[in-house]
């Protein structure tokens, strides 16, 4: 409860407001942001390269002469046009990105679970409460060993990716959570800003579940290998997460990019995620993974996209897309729908 006699809390909120707004605006200069300039540039270069190669191959098959001037014009009109980037859904994504960059850190982030918290809780619980201190079964100080650090880097990534799959599946399969995840799927066009079209409740789940899985893994390595062990990083991020970031902006764009076989079956390509956004009921709830496709294969939700470009219409597919047109609707609609429809009888669209 704020102390109304002492107004320093107002200055604190104003400071936080300006600070979070500055972070949101300068995100393209921050390497830990999904829209860091290098990740956006790599997505553009890859998108151009893949589309150029596809058109060259197509023109060879039809023995037509390939004209690169025509290519640039058609690339621009399909993937960089005002029709796409100025679409009401894309503009809403950009406005919501700025607003939620302030709302989420101030009101919701302090409630989200963190990997370090889980690690610390397990450590205290085992040592203080049931008084068990698992012995370092590997050689102590072996964190400096490259192989051990590599194993931790890999295991942490698998736990993180698996945690994100579980969180995303909960958002699709638990009906009241689906009401909050619908915001993300109500986007009618995809741009990298659609990544941020996520309700704070959705984001809490997406942050907390991977924090639990990576926290358990980290605790296990801390007690069995070394409390000092860390993973390999690149640009201040986990090295694998950073490497995938160079591709991941295409998943929220309409350029069709798949991985070459057999990788396309075992990794989630941008096209996998575009199918996840399809309004067609036959695609609803497919490809919930982020980088590894193994989880979707195990959960029977995998649909491997064809290498040939597919024309996918994005949206909820339940005729309800137009009730998600304002920032207020993105925040309030889930609560309104739950009040109207109840916690168990939401309109099905997943
Ligand atoms: Zn989803
Ligand atoms: Zn998405």
């Amino acid at each position: 409860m704020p102390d109304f006699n002492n107004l320093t809390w107002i200055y604190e909120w104003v400071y936080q407001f300006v600070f979070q707004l500055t972070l949101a605006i300068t995100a393209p200069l921050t390497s830990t942001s999904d829209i860091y300039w290098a990740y956006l540039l790599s997505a553009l270069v890859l998108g151009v390269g893949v589309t150029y190669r596809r058109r060259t191959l197509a023109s060879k098959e039809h023995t037509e002469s390939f004209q690169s001037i025509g290519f640039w014009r058609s690339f621009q009109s399909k993937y960089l046009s005002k029709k796409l980037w100025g679409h009401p859904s894309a503009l809403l994504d950009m406005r919501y990105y700025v607003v939620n960059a302030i709302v989420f850190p101030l009101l919701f982030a302090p409630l989200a679970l963190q990997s370090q918290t889980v690690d610390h809780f397990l450590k205290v619980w085992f040592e203080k409460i049931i008084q068990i201190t698992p012995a370092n079964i590997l050689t102590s100080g072996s964190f400096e060993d490259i192989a051990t650090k590599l194993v931790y880097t890999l295991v942490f990534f698998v736990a993180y990716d698996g945690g994100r799959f579980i969180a995303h599946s909960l958002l699709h399969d638990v009906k009241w959570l689906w009401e909050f995840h619908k915001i993300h799927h109500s986007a009618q066009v995809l741009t990298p800003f659609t990544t941020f079209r996520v309700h704070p409740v959705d984001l809490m789940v997406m942050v907390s579940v991977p924090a639990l899985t990576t926290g358990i893994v980290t605790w296990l390595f801390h007690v069995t290998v070394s409390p000092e062990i860390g993973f390999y990083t690149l640009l201040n991020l986990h090295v694998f997460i950073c490497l995938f970031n160079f591709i991941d902006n295409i998943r929220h764009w309409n350029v069709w990019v798949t991985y070459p076989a057999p990788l396309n079956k075992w990794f989630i390509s941008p096209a996998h995620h575009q199918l996840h956004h399809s309004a067609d009921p036959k695609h609803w709830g497919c490809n919930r993974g982020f980088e590894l496709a193994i989880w979707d294969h195990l959960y029977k939700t995998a649909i491997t996209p064809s290498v040939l470009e597919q024309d996918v219409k994005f949206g909820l597919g339940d005729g309800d897309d137009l009730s998600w047109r304002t920032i207020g609707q993105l925040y309030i609609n889930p609560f309104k729908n739950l009040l109207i429809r109840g916690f168990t009888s939401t309109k099905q669209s997943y």
Side-chain angles (χ1 to χ4, degrees):
M1 186 72 183
D3 176 1
F4 289 98
N5 294 320
N6 180 355
L7 296 181
T8 53
W9 64 273
I10 294 183
Y11 302 127
E12 177 63 20
W13 275 80
V14 170
Y15 168 77
Q16 283 298 333
F17 179 89
V18 175
F19 179 67
Q20 298 299 343
L21 183 63
T22 309
L23 283 185
I25 293 168
T26 56
L29 303 174
T30 312
S31 67
T32 49
S33 164
D34 288 345
I35 51 169
Y36 180 50
W37 68 268
Y39 303 145
L40 291 172
L41 182 65
S42 62
L44 179 64
V45 170
L46 188 62
V48 169
V50 167
T51 313
Y52 192 85
R53 189 175 141 77
R54 190 175 288 133
R55 295 282 165 88
T56 318
L57 290 174
S59 64
K60 265 187 196 157
E61 263 178 32
H62 296 97
T63 56
E64 294 164 5
S65 65
F66 180 78
Q67 294 190 340
S68 53
I69 296 172
F71 166 77
W72 292 114
R73 200 169 292 140
S74 73
F75 184 89
Q76 192 274 335
S77 72
K78 192 169 177 190
Y79 303 119
L80 299 173
S81 66
K82 203 175 163 197
K83 193 174 158 211
L84 170 66
W85 293 80
H87 188 284
S89 172
L91 295 176
L92 177 59
D93 288 356
M94 292 172 206
R95 291 200 305 274
Y96 182 77
Y97 160 72
V98 176
V99 174
N100 206 42
I102 296 162
V103 170
F104 185 78
L106 290 185
L107 300 180
F108 291 87
L111 305 171
L113 201 57
Q114 289 187 326
S115 186
Q116 298 92 319
T117 315
V118 176
D119 171 32
H120 181 72
F121 171 81
L122 288 170
K123 186 173 179 290
V124 171
W125 194 70
F126 271 87
E127 286 179 7
K128 301 270 164 59
I129 299 176
I130 61 172
Q131 299 190 325
I132 290 176
T133 309
N136 285 6
I137 57 171
L138 298 177
T139 54
S140 62
S142 61
F143 67 93
E144 284 177 8
D145 180 76
I146 292 172
T148 313
K149 194 170 175 178
L150 264 178
V151 170
Y152 175 60
T153 303
L154 189 65
V155 171
F156 184 99
F157 178 74
V158 172
Y160 176 70
D161 200 62
R164 290 213 289 175
F165 176 85
I166 294 168
H168 196 184
S169 277
L170 288 171
L171 290 161
H172 275 267
D173 294 341
V174 178
K175 291 191 175 185
W176 69 269
L177 285 177
W178 165 245
E179 287 298 341
F180 293 96
H181 189 52
K182 271 171 96 170
I183 289 177
H184 188 62
H185 285 270
S186 66
Q188 293 173 289
V189 295
L190 304 182
T191 71
F193 285 96
T194 312
T195 306
F196 306 97
R197 186 189 179 112
V198 177
H199 195 280
V201 173
D202 178 330
L203 204 47
M204 291 274 289
V205 176
M206 284 307 306
V207 169
S208 298
V209 179
L212 189 65
T213 54
T214 55
I216 293 170
V217 159
T218 300
W219 169 74
L220 279 171
F221 271 81
H222 280 174
V223 295
T224 58
V225 181
S226 162
E228 306 295 324
I229 196 164
F231 45 67
Y232 283 105
T233 60
L234 185 63
L235 294 174
N236 299 319
L237 282 173
H238 184 292
V239 60
F240 294 153
I241 295 170
C242 176
L243 290 175
F244 279 112
N245 274 355
F246 282 99
I247 301 164
D248 282 349
N249 273 308
I250 305 180
R251 66 171 62 167
H252 293 121
W253 195 17
N254 55 342
V255 181
W256 192 258
V257 175
T258 56
Y259 292 137
L263 296 181
N264 206 37
K265 192 177 174 193
W266 298 109
F267 290 91
I268 299 287
S269 70
H272 276 83
H273 195 72
Q274 288 165 22
L275 282 184
H276 180 69
H277 275 271
S278 169
D280 189 332
K282 71 172 185 275
H283 296 138
W284 286 353
C286 76
N287 301 341
R288 301 165 181 198
F290 288 82
E291 312 301 353
L292 306 175
I294 180 77
W295 318 114
D296 277 298
H297 284 293
L298 289 171
Y299 202 58
K300 305 270 183 282
T301 47
I303 297 181
T304 305
S306 64
V307 177
L308 292 175
E309 189 174 3
Q310 283 177 248
D311 201 12
V312 181
K313 185 178 181 298
F314 304 122
L316 285 165
D318 63 354
D320 208 20
D321 292 345
L322 293 181
S323 50
W324 307 86
R325 283 182 298 185
T326 66
I327 289 174
Q329 286 171 335
L330 294 190
Y331 279 116
I332 302 300
N333 272 2
F335 296 107
K336 205 173 84 183
N337 290 341
L338 283 172
L339 276 177
I340 295 168
R341 298 168 191 161
F343 272 61
T344 55
S345 57
T346 55
K347 197 185 219 174
Q348 186 182 351
S349 171
Y350 51 91

